[in-house]
Structures are given as structure tokens and as C-alpha cells.
Amino acid sequence: MKADLDRDLVSSLDEALPEESHLDSGHLHRHDAGVARQDRRLAAGENRAARVSLLVYRSISVLAALAVILILLWGVLDLPLFGRGNNPVENEVSLRYLQSGLQEGGAVNLVANMILDYRAFDTLGESNVLFAACCTVILLLRRIQDRESAVSPLGEASPSALPEDPVLALGARVLCPVILLFGIYIILNGHLGPGGGFSGGAVMGAGLILLRNALGTERIGRFFSYRTFRRAVFAALSFYALSKAWSFYTGANRLPSFIPAGTPGAILSAGLILPLNIAVGLVVCCTMYGFFALFEKGDI
Amino acid sequence: MDLQALLDNRVEAAAIVLFGIGLTTLLLNRNLIRKIIGFSFMDSAVFLFLASEGYIEGRTAPVQNILSARPAGAFVSPIPAGLVLTGIVVSVSVTALMLALTVRLYRHYHTLNLDEILHLARREEE
């Protein structure tokens, strides 16, 4: 069933004009084949009208897209020149971030200062968008998997049932520790250089996905199950929300942190930025891996 | 159109053209996966536009040097970097959501063609 569906998915992706060729193709999975045939006969009568309206629709959409491009290009003509320092974008806001970020936030990476100290509320919302999207994907894909397995208990040829590919397995065994370590480095180094929770979390998520593909779902399920996912994301998001709520409660401006500020440039510095980076990295890593697992198997 | 001005702002112009390509893909294809690909094109175009707005020639990434602190005039603007970061996260979330909805639609209607899906849905309602 699943293989059939996959083939169907691939073939309908490959078709240049899916409508016509899909109706003619042999593997039509429709339950009401008789009604479909009747439809086709009806469609043959309406074919000419449909084709004309399709042509009109296509030309109108090409013209609309061209008009959008031209209008926007006309706007580009009035933009300030590319790469010059006197843009109106370079106003006192970015100047303030650049001038006093190091004293006020404590992180050498001024972008990290901006997204996790000055505008940390924004980043909390971002993590929550990711979390909400993952929740919706779970709602959409997890439940249907249960129903399907209840209807057809026939074992699906899941990738974990396939024999292990030695090249992939060895490659993953060699690469994955390096990838995960690199992700951790990016997260922990987020306030000292380019990096941070989002990019490091994405790298770690990619490492977990490689591990899952190479070693199968059972083995990764030993240390990363649905329960781990829920707990990690919940802990990270609530830690972030509580620490930011506390900092807002205490005035949100030069928060008197119980975390010692440390010397800028040391790994234990910049106050809350390092813990917040770790929290964001956890959320991103778990949701990236969760997206992949849900799309592949319908379960984490 | 003034070609010289377009050449000066070539990165922004490229972003606009990329946006238009994405919009055309979105409008012309009836396959849902291709529509999602077009949407991702438009996302990338917006990120390219934002990132190019923050770039200033001859300045470096906004990472301070501890040993010899540099003045604010040495760095590019950090604000577009933060905005693009937000945008990328939201675009990943939206793409995942759209793909999940597409999977559900495919499981129900066994087709990715939007016209056919609408046709079948209308017949189901009747």
C-alpha cells in the first residue's frame, strides 16, 4: 500500500500536466472508478471550454507576475544605492546595537546580543512558531498513522526493516559524532562568534536525521523517543519563557542578573545569552528531527 | 527604465526577479508540491532582499574584537541579520505545515492536482 502510494506520488510529481495524464494512467486508486469514467466522458465534452479557460488563466497569471516584477523593479530604482553606508536603514537603532551592545549585553557577537537580549521576546515568539508548527504537523500526521495501522495491520516496509547498508552505517558512525559535536560547538559559541541556537540546532537535527536513516528507527528510539521530544521541547521553551518573564518583571533594562557577567570573550559570559542559546538550540534540534520523523513514518 | 540604477542595485533586482519566478510557479502549477516550491522561492527572494539592504561595502560582520574594540562604523547593520533569522525559521515552519497538509490531502484524494482535489471535494459535498 505504502509503496503504491509512493510510486503514485512520484509519478504525479513527474507529470508535466497531471490532470490529463493522471486520468489516463493505469494505477488510478480511486474507489469510485465508474463515476470517474463517467466524469471523463463528461469532461471530454467540456474539454474545449476547459482548455480555453486554462489558456486565459495562464496568460493572465503570466501577465500578473510580469506586472508584479515590473512594479517592484520600478521601486528598486528609487532605493538607495547598494552597499553604501548612508542608507536610511543605518539609523540610530543599529548604531546603538553596535556601539553599546558589548557593554549592555556582554556578548562579543553583536547579533546574538540583539536577538537574545534586546529583542529576546521576538526570539521567544520565533521558537514558539516553530513549536506550534511541529504540534500541527503532529496533529495532522500522527493520528492518521494510528488509524491506518488499525485498519491494515500488514507490516509496512519501513526503512528500519531493510537490511543495514554497510557504507551508510559506517559513514554515519564516523560522521555523526563530528556533526553533533560541531552543532554543540556552534550553540555554545553563539555569543563569541557567528553561530547560535538556530544554526547549531539545525546542524544537530541534521546529524540526528542522518543517524536515523543509517541505523534505523529502533536504535535512535532508545535515546530519542516521543517522550524525550516532548520533555526537551517543553523544558527548553518554559525555561526561556520563565527567564524572560523574570527579566521583564525586574525591569527588562540592564537586568540585575544572578548569573555573573564574566569577561566578554570567555565562554561563561554574557549573562542569559548562553542558556537561552542552549534552549533555542534544543527546540530547533528537536523540531527539525521531529519534522523529518513525522514525514517519514508518522511518529517520532 | 534607468539601466544604470538597476545595475547598481543588482542584488535587489535579482531578488525581485526571483520573487517573480516564485510567484509564477505558484500561479501556473497545479501540483501542490510545486506550489510549495514556488512559495519557498518567494521566501528566499525576501531573505536576499533583506540581507542586501544591510550590506555596506568594506565593513565586516558585527562581531566585536575583544583585544582591540572597533568602532560602530566598522560593522554592517545587524538588524537585517536578525530579521532574516526570524524569516527563515517562520518559512521552515510554514513549509512543514504546508507539506503536512499536502500529505493529508494526498491520502484522502490520491492526487496532488489542486483542480482534481477541488473537483472531488465539491462532489463529496453534494
Side-chain angles (χ1 to χ4, degrees):
Chain A
M1 181 66 185
K2 193 181 178 227
D4 261 353
L5 284 184
D6 284 346
R7 185 156 43 85
D8 212 343
L9 191 71
V10 168
S11 66
S12 51
L13 261 177
D14 284 340
E15 284 158 13
L17 270 179
E19 192 186 41
E20 281 129 17
S21 42
H22 199 92
L23 281 175
D24 294 335
S25 57
H27 49 266
L28 192 63
H29 278 289
R30 210 161 292 152
H31 308 297
D32 38 7
V35 187
R37 212 173 299 133
Q38 203 181 349
D39 266 9
R40 212 185 308 167
R41 217 171 295 137
L42 278 177
E46 295 166 357
N47 214 0
R48 179 173 293 232
R51 226 163 247 199
V52 169
S53 71
L54 184 68
L55 201 67
V56 170
Y57 168 75
R58 290 202 156 176
S59 34
I60 287 178
S61 46
V62 167
L63 285 180
L66 276 179
V68 167
I69 294 179
L70 284 180
I71 291 170
L72 289 176
L73 279 181
W74 191 33
V76 165
L77 291 181
D78 287 337
L79 281 179
L81 284 179
F82 172 71
R84 302 290 153 81
N86 51 3
N87 280 357
V89 184
E90 318 296 327
N91 54 12
E92 65 275 7
V93 181
S94 63
L95 203 64
R96 165 75 183 230
Y97 288 161
L98 291 174
Q99 270 176 346
S100 37
L102 190 58
Q103 288 85 44
E104 291 181 349
V108 179
N109 181 357
L110 299 170
V111 180
N113 258 329
M114 190 187 79
I115 63 171
L116 287 171
D117 192 61
Y118 290 112
R119 297 175 29 184
F121 199 51
D122 191 24
T123 309
L124 175 62
E126 234 174 297
S127 319
N128 277 319
V129 166
L130 208 54
F131 176 63
C134 202
C135 286
T136 323
V137 173
I138 288 173
L139 270 180
L140 283 171
L141 295 183
R142 197 150 186 263
R143 201 186 277 165
I144 199 160
Q145 201 73 21
D146 294 346
R147 204 187 302 151
E148 257 188 9
S149 58
V151 170
S152 65
L154 291 172
E156 292 179 353
S158 63
S160 55
L162 295 174
E164 202 173 78
D165 183 359
V167 177
L168 184 60
L170 184 65
R173 282 209 181 90
V174 174
L175 271 179
C176 274
V178 183
I179 292 176
L180 291 178
L181 199 65
F182 182 57
I184 293 170
Y185 160 74
I186 293 177
I187 292 176
L188 294 184
N189 208 40
H191 55 301
L192 303 177
F198 287 104
S199 37
V203 170
M204 283 180 72
L208 282 181
I209 289 170
L210 175 61
L211 211 58
R212 181 191 173 99
N213 275 332
L215 302 181
T217 46
E218 281 91 32
R219 280 163 108 168
I220 203 166
R222 280 185 210 152
F223 68 93
F224 197 99
S225 62
Y226 185 58
R227 179 184 281 190
T228 329
F229 168 80
R230 268 189 322 196
R231 286 188 178 163
V233 174
F234 172 74
L237 277 180
S238 49
F239 167 72
Y240 195 127
L242 283 177
S243 60
K244 263 353 256 187
W246 173 73
S247 93
F248 284 133
Y249 182 71
T250 52
N253 193 19
R254 293 312 307 119
L255 43 145
S257 174
F258 59 88
I259 304 168
T263 48
I267 190 135
L268 288 175
S269 66
L272 265 178
I273 290 180
L274 179 61
L276 292 186
N277 251 335
I278 294 172
V280 170
L282 259 181
V283 174
V284 174
C285 170
C286 290
T287 41
M288 287 299 140
Y289 175 72
F291 280 150
F292 179 80
L294 284 165
F295 277 108
E296 189 211 24
K297 214 174 141 236
D299 201 358
I300 294 174
Chain B
M1 270 194 188
D2 190 0
L3 259 181
Q4 190 54 44
L6 269 190
L7 270 181
D8 287 338
N9 282 343
R10 57 192 173 278
V11 181
E12 282 97 332
I16 300 294
V17 172
L18 197 60
F19 187 85
I21 291 172
L23 185 65
T24 322
T25 316
L26 196 63
L27 287 176
L28 283 186
N29 282 299
R30 280 170 297 172
N31 189 311
L32 283 171
I33 303 274
R34 291 184 186 192
K35 276 187 193 291
I36 294 171
I37 292 173
F39 206 83
S40 306
F41 262 71
M42 289 162 76
D43 287 340
S44 310
V46 173
F47 303 150
L48 178 59
F49 186 84
L50 277 176
S52 72
E53 280 304 303
Y55 177 72
I56 301 169
E57 199 128 349
R59 300 196 186 177
T60 60
V63 177
Q64 257 304 356
N65 195 339
I66 282 300
L67 300 174
S68 58
R70 280 179 289 183
F75 303 120
V76 301
S77 169
I79 295 175
L83 290 179
V84 170
L85 184 68
T86 312
I88 288 173
V89 171
V90 173
S91 114
V92 166
S93 312
V94 171
T95 308
L97 190 56
M98 287 192 292
L99 284 173
L101 286 170
T102 308
V103 168
R104 278 295 285 263
L105 276 174
Y106 185 80
R107 284 192 186 153
H108 193 254
Y109 293 112
H110 298 298
T111 174
L112 283 174
N113 188 321
L114 190 58
D115 290 351
E116 269 185 59
I117 288 172
L118 287 175
H119 182 65
L120 291 172
R122 217 172 289 136
R123 210 172 53 199
E124 258 181 17
E125 269 179 18
E126 280 167 8

